[in-house]
């Protein structure tokens, strides 16, 4: 009888050490160990559970290299499939040090959490190694130090200076090209303006004669617009090809689109002179 009483007292004492955290009826040894779901056999006894750690980290940067899902922090893990989890805070330390020339080193390097379940008292337990690395309220407080590689930092600084010099050179080249393009565009406009000023009337007269010849045949002849295409051939030297878009036909219902040439011209923007370059331009120029 005394043994039975002692056993019952022991069970009550053990049960008082655990705090139920969820509606599953499962108690845990830590407030930050949560049971999201359980699996039970036909007798209603648990044989597996999906656990999750509600942890906080200081400094917060220590958790950056952790896979929170694989670490059972952002999602629960089934105990039978993953009875333990190792948090490796220095997993990418060497890689970061080689890449950036500096990296934080954390202690302890790793924390292992092992989850077990007692069917006797229906309690899920978590063992932490090293002991004391996680507080009762789920705070993982780590020691840390900044490790630096001066040689790598000097290399990175040199690379950044070279990259900055290349960016500046590219910016200057881009600005010079933009200025050159602007000057060329302005000269092209001036060349076309000179052509229109000096030969525009003759070109219009030529088109008027073409229109007149079509009307004499009883055809319809409609001029839509003139196109001047400038090409730079040298300093202040331009070759401009003139085309005119027209519609022509015997009736308004049977008009067809066509392009008539109105000559190729040489324009010198420095001397403000315009000269014909081909037979059509010379024919038009003779009427000036």
């Amino acid at each position: 009888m005394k043994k039975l009483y002692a056993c019952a007292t022991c069970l009550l004492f053990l049960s008082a050490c655990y705090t139920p955290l969820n509606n599953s009826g499962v108690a845990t040894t830590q407030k930050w160990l949560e049971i999201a779901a359980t699996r039970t056999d036909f007798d209603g006894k648990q044989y597996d559970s999906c656990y999750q750690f509600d942890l906080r980290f200081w400094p917060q940067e220590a958790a950056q290299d952790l896979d929170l899902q694989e670490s059972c922090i952002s999602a629960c893990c089934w105990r039978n499939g993953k009875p333990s989890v190792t948090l490796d805070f220095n997993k990418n330390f060497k890689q970061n040090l080689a890449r950036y020339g500096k990296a934080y080193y954390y202690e302890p390097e790793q924390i292992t959490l092992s989850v077990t379940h007692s069917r006797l008292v229906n309690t899920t337990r978590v063992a932490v190694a090293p002991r004391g690395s996680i507080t009762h309220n789920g705070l993982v407080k780590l020691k840390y130090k900044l490790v630096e590689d001066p040689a790598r930092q000097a290399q990175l600084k040199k690379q950044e200076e070279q990259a900055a010099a290349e960016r500046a050179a590219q910016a200057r080249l881009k600005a010079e090209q933009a200025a050159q393009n602007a000057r060329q565009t302005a000269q092209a406009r001036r060349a076309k303006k000179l052509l229109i000023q000096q030969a525009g009337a003759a070109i219009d007269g030529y088109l008027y004669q073409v229109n007149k010849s079509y009307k004499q045949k009883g055809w319809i002849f409609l001029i839509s617009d003139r196109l001047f295409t400038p090409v730079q051939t040298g300093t202040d030297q331009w070759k401009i090809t003139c085309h005119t878009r027209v519609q022509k036909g015997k009736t308004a219902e049977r008009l067809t689109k066509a392009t008539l040439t109105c000559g190729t011209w040489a324009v010198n923007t420095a001397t403000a002179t315009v000269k014909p370059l081909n037979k059509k331009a010379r024919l038009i120029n003779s009427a000036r």
Side-chain angles (χ1 to χ4, degrees):
M1 185 65 181
K2 290 182 179 180
K3 290 182 179 180
L4 181 61
Y5 177 77
C7 183
T9 302
C10 183
L11 289 175
L12 287 172
F13 175 76
L14 289 173
S15 299
C17 296
Y18 306 119
T19 305
L21 296 178
N22 47 67
N23 295 326
S24 63
V26 181
T28 61
T29 56
Q30 295 291 347
K31 293 180 179 180
W32 43 267
L33 174 60
E34 299 178 350
I35 306 301
T38 60
R39 291 171 177 164
T40 57
D41 57 19
F42 60 92
D43 288 331
K45 295 182 178 181
Q46 182 196 138
Y47 66 88
D48 198 2
S49 61
C50 198
Y51 64 88
Q52 186 171 350
F53 303 124
D54 183 16
L55 298 177
R56 295 174 291 111
F57 298 89
W58 190 92
Q60 295 182 355
E61 292 77 10
Q64 287 181 349
D65 292 332
L66 297 179
D67 187 329
L68 298 182
Q69 183 172 342
E70 289 296 320
S71 301
C72 311
I73 295 174
S74 64
C76 72
C77 304
W78 289 100
R79 187 181 70 253
N80 288 348
K82 183 180 287 190
S84 66
V85 173
T86 298
L87 307 179
D88 189 350
F89 300 102
N90 295 313
K91 179 176 61 176
N92 297 321
F93 170 75
K94 291 182 178 180
Q95 176 183 338
N96 291 338
L97 183 61
R99 182 175 183 181
Y100 303 110
K102 60 183 178 180
Y104 283 102
Y105 184 84
Y106 298 98
E107 293 180 345
E109 296 182 16
Q110 297 179 340
I111 296 177
T112 300
L113 302 97
S114 302
V115 180
T116 57
H117 181 75
S118 171
R119 299 181 69 176
L120 179 63
V121 290
N122 193 28
T123 300
T124 300
R125 179 178 181 274
V126 57
V128 180
R131 294 182 62 183
S133 53
I134 303 178
T135 64
H136 291 299
N137 62 0
L139 176 63
V140 182
K141 191 171 183 179
L142 302 168
K143 296 179 181 179
Y144 66 96
K145 61 181 178 180
L146 180 63
V147 180
E148 297 183 281
D149 183 348
R152 177 56 176 160
Q153 289 181 348
Q155 184 183 35
L156 290 172
K157 182 179 179 181
K158 184 177 180 180
Q159 290 176 353
E160 177 55 31
E161 290 173 349
Q162 290 175 344
E166 290 177 1
R167 289 193 297 269
Q170 289 292 333
R172 286 194 299 270
L173 181 62
K174 188 175 181 180
E176 291 172 0
Q177 187 64 49
Q180 182 180 349
N181 291 342
R183 288 192 298 269
Q184 190 174 32
T185 301
Q187 282 196 1
R189 286 198 297 265
R190 172 168 166 75
K192 289 191 289 184
K193 185 177 181 180
L194 285 170
L195 176 60
I196 294 171
Q197 286 175 344
Q198 298 187 28
I203 292 172
D204 289 341
Y206 164 73
L207 294 175
Y208 172 77
Q209 292 299 326
V210 174
N211 182 26
K212 185 176 179 180
S213 64
Y214 272 96
K215 285 186 176 181
Q216 289 174 350
K217 297 176 184 179
W219 282 43
I220 299 173
F221 185 83
L222 302 175
I223 299 174
S224 57
D225 52 27
R226 289 179 302 179
L227 304 174
F228 297 99
T229 306
V231 176
Q232 190 169 20
T233 57
T235 304
D236 302 322
Q237 301 289 330
W238 294 84
K239 181 177 73 173
I240 300 180
T241 303
C242 174
H243 290 91
T244 302
R245 291 174 178 169
V246 300
Q247 296 184 68
K248 58 182 179 177
K250 291 184 177 181
T251 63
E253 292 75 17
R254 299 180 62 182
L255 291 177
T256 58
K257 294 181 180 180
T259 301
L260 298 182
T261 178
C262 41
T264 301
W265 305 79
V267 179
N268 188 313
T269 56
T271 60
T273 55
V274 176
K275 295 180 180 179
L277 283 181
N278 65 353
K279 184 178 180 180
K280 179 69 70 174
R282 285 191 289 271
L283 174 64
I284 296 173
N285 191 64
S286 64
R288 289 173 60 186

